[in-house]
Amino acid sequence: MDKIEIGNDQVRVTVSALGAEMQSLVTADGQSWLWDGDAAFWGGRSPVLFPIVGKAPGDHIAVHGQRYPMGQHGFARRSTFELESQGSDFCRHVLKSSLASHSVYPFDFTLTIEHRLVGRAVSVTAEVHNASHALMPFGIGFHPAFVWPLPGCDGQVHRVTLDNGGAPALVRLSGGLVQPDKLASPFVRGHLVLDHSLFAADAMLFPEGAGAGLRYGAGEKAIHFTWENLPNLALWSKPGAPFVCLEPWRGTAAEVDGSDELAERPYVELLGPGATGRYGFKAELT
C-alpha cells in the first residue's frame, strides 16, 4: 500500500493512495491522535465516503430506475487514487471515473482529496467535479477516528461541545438505514459527555442543527474540529473501542422504507453539469 508522509515542525501525517485516507496524525512529541486501525475493533482510520454516505437498501442504489450495486459508504474508500501533487506539508490525490466505476455509478466525475498542514492543524478537502452532461446526485462525507482517550488523558472525562451551543435532534439507524423519527437531543446547551453506552445502538446522527464546528477534548487537551459545506453530523464508536469518529456529511443513509433512488436520499447533493463542489474539515490540535 503506497503511503506518503507530509509534515512540519509540529505535526506529521501519512496518507495512503488507497482511499486517499489519512493513516496517522502524530505531533512532534511523538503522540498519536488518530486511531491506528486495529481490525479487532475497526480497520478504518479516516475514510472518505463517496458517492454515498451510509447504506443503501439491499446494497443497491437506483439512478432513473436503473439499479446498481453499492456497498456501504460507497467505493472511493476502496479505490486507489493517483498522487497529483505534493509538497513538504500537503498532498493531493485524484480519483477519476472509469469503466469500473460506471458499472456501479453511471456518471463521469473527478474526486480530488487534499491533505494540508498549517501549524498543529490538518485540513482535508474534497473537490467533486461533475464531468457528465446531466445532474449528478451523490453523497460525500468524512469519517476520521480519533483516539479516545486522547494522548495523556487516560481516566479523564471526554466531552464533545458544539461551537453553536445547540441541542440538535437525534436520529438513529436501523439495519444501517435512517429511522426518520426525531429523538430528544443528548446535547445540553451544546455539551455532551461521551460514554460508550451512547453507541450501543450504533451511530448518533444529527441531520440538522449541529453547526459547523465542535471541540472534542478532556481538560485542556482537545481537537477543535470544523467543517465546510457539510450539514449533517454523526458521532460513532464501537462500545468499548478506544476511538470516537467525528463525521461531517452531505447526505445520509437511505431512510427505512424509503426510495432507493440516489437523487431521493436525504440531504443528497445534486451537482450540475460542469460544476465543482468543495467540502472539507479541519482538525486543530491543542
Side-chain angles (χ1 to χ4, degrees):
M1 182 168 57
D2 293 332
K3 297 180 186 177
I4 66 168
E5 181 175 299
I6 58 176
N8 59 26
D9 60 352
Q10 300 186 62
V11 293
R12 300 191 317 278
V13 162
T14 56
V15 181
S16 171
L18 182 63
E21 182 179 4
M22 183 164 52
Q23 299 292 296
S24 65
L25 173 59
V26 181
T27 45
D29 57 8
Q31 294 183 326
S32 295
W33 294 65
L34 193 73
W35 168 241
D36 65 7
D38 182 351
F41 291 101
W42 178 59
R45 301 181 191 223
S46 185
V48 176
L49 317 180
F50 176 87
I52 68 168
V53 174
K55 286 185 69 66
D59 291 325
H60 281 76
I61 59 169
V63 177
H64 303 307
Q66 179 69 42
R67 299 184 79 234
Y68 299 88
M70 182 68 66
Q72 184 174 17
H73 293 321
F75 55 74
R77 63 181 179 148
R78 300 183 183 91
S79 299
T80 299
F81 285 62
E82 293 185 5
L83 181 63
E84 180 185 76
S85 60
Q86 72 174 107
S88 61
D89 58 0
F90 80 95
C91 60
R92 286 172 63 88
H93 288 85
V94 177
L95 178 69
K96 295 184 178 181
S97 52
S98 63
L99 289 176
S101 71
H102 286 162
S103 70
V104 295
Y105 182 66
F107 298 96
D108 293 322
F109 68 88
T110 301
L111 172 61
T112 304
I113 306 296
E114 179 183 274
H115 292 76
R116 184 174 293 271
L117 304 178
V118 179
R120 285 173 63 87
V122 56
S123 294
V124 184
T125 303
E127 293 180 355
V128 180
H129 176 70
N130 179 7
S132 299
H133 298 291
L135 199 66
M136 187 173 82
F138 63 90
I140 186 149
F142 300 93
H143 200 314
F146 299 101
V147 292
W148 176 18
L150 287 169
C153 296
D154 291 26
Q156 296 185 39
V157 172
H158 285 59
R159 293 179 171 84
V160 171
T161 303
L162 300 176
D163 288 355
N164 68 2
L170 169 69
V171 299
R172 287 288 192 177
L173 302 174
S174 177
L177 303 181
V178 172
Q179 300 183 82
D181 294 338
K182 289 183 169 58
L183 307 174
S185 181
F187 285 92
V188 178
R189 293 184 294 278
H191 296 277
L192 173 65
V193 175
L194 288 179
D195 185 272
H196 288 285
S197 64
L198 294 170
F199 305 105
D202 207 334
M204 295 188 293
L205 174 57
F206 306 94
E208 299 176 342
L214 59 80
R215 181 185 188 272
Y216 160 55
E220 295 184 357
K221 183 156 286 189
I223 299 172
H224 187 215
F225 188 81
T226 55
W227 55 93
E228 173 189 6
N229 203 19
L230 300 160
N232 323 122
L233 176 68
L235 303 176
W236 177 72
S237 183
K238 289 193 171 182
F243 67 82
V244 62
C245 292
L246 311 177
E247 304 182 42
W249 302 341
R250 175 164 287 276
T252 71
E255 292 184 340
V256 173
D257 298 324
S259 172
D260 60 0
E261 276 286 341
L262 181 55
E264 296 177 10
R265 288 168 73 100
Y267 303 95
V268 72
E269 182 74 289
L270 299 171
L271 200 62
T276 300
R278 179 183 172 93
Y279 319 85
F281 75 82
K282 181 171 76 171
E284 185 168 8
L285 314 181
T286 64

